[in-house]
Amino acid sequence: MQSRNITNLFAGLILLIGTATAVSAQTGGAPTVSRPSSSAVSPNLSDLPTAHQSQGENPKIVPPPKPLPPRKAGPGGSGTDEKTLQREQGPHLGVHSKTSFGGIGANGYIPPDPNIAVGKTDTAGLGYIVQVVNSQIAVFNKSGTLLSGPSALSSLWTGLAGCSSSNAGDAIVQYDAAADR
């Protein structure tokens, strides 16, 4: 029985070494380096056509969501003998937001995948907020005034072949604090 286990162990090692040798021979051992097929500089956001102009449609009014029904006794619900259930409102915290404004809507996609980046406020009290939702991008100032857009993301890539015809993907916006951009 022991000689059979030893034979199986050696056969497994030989198989493992043979597979590793075949894989390294196929890859050549060197990393694969690819080069970009093209490059381009995107236009300024302020120069892009708005998404409504480019798509030839008016903005859609999205109805507010329906309220959830109250929870009842049963699985996941609260019973009448629940002692940890909060039965009255707590004190008002007195927190006031500085700015509140409507951004880009869901623009027909579910889920909307909103993403936002806020730049720092300069000495003149100006600063920018860049928002991306699915296939649109817009720039606001910190008081909520729309400065640019909303524009289709595909309009950023007009200089690149293949990318300018698609709004695919969920873009993100990031603020680079070191470069202040």
Side-chain angles (χ1 to χ4, degrees):
M1 186 71 172
Q2 284 186 353
S3 64
R4 188 174 185 187
N5 288 341
I6 292 174
T7 304
N8 287 339
L9 178 66
F10 279 122
L13 285 174
I14 290 171
L15 181 65
L16 181 65
I17 291 171
T19 304
T21 304
V23 168
S24 68
Q26 284 179 345
T27 59
T32 303
V33 178
S34 62
R35 304 278 185 240
S37 60
S38 65
S39 64
V41 177
S42 65
N44 294 328
L45 287 176
S46 58
D47 296 338
L48 297 177
T50 62
H52 307 301
Q53 292 172 347
S54 62
Q55 295 175 0
E57 60 182 45
N58 293 327
K60 297 179 179 95
I61 306 286
V62 180
K66 295 179 181 176
L68 293 174
R71 297 182 84 182
K72 298 178 181 169
S78 59
T80 56
D81 60 339
E82 182 70 48
K83 296 183 179 20
T84 58
L85 184 65
Q86 182 174 346
R87 304 211 184 270
E88 58 188 52
Q89 282 188 339
H92 180 67
L93 296 177
V95 177
H96 302 287
S97 64
K98 291 184 177 180
T99 304
S100 177
F101 60 92
I104 303 173
N107 54 42
Y109 295 90
I110 297 174
D113 299 323
N115 193 285
I116 194 167
V118 180
K120 67 180 181 182
T121 305
D122 61 12
T123 55
L126 300 174
Y128 300 101
I129 299 170
V130 179
Q131 182 188 20
V132 172
V133 178
N134 294 322
S135 62
Q136 293 183 351
I137 185 168
V139 180
F140 300 89
N141 66 15
K142 286 192 175 180
S143 64
T145 304
L146 179 65
L147 300 176
S148 175
S151 300
L153 277 178
S154 61
S155 61
L156 281 174
W157 321 122
T158 54
L160 296 173
C163 298
S164 62
S165 62
S166 173
N167 274 323
D170 290 328
I172 61 168
V173 183
Q174 294 180 331
Y175 173 67
D176 183 357
D180 189 24
R181 58 179 181 187

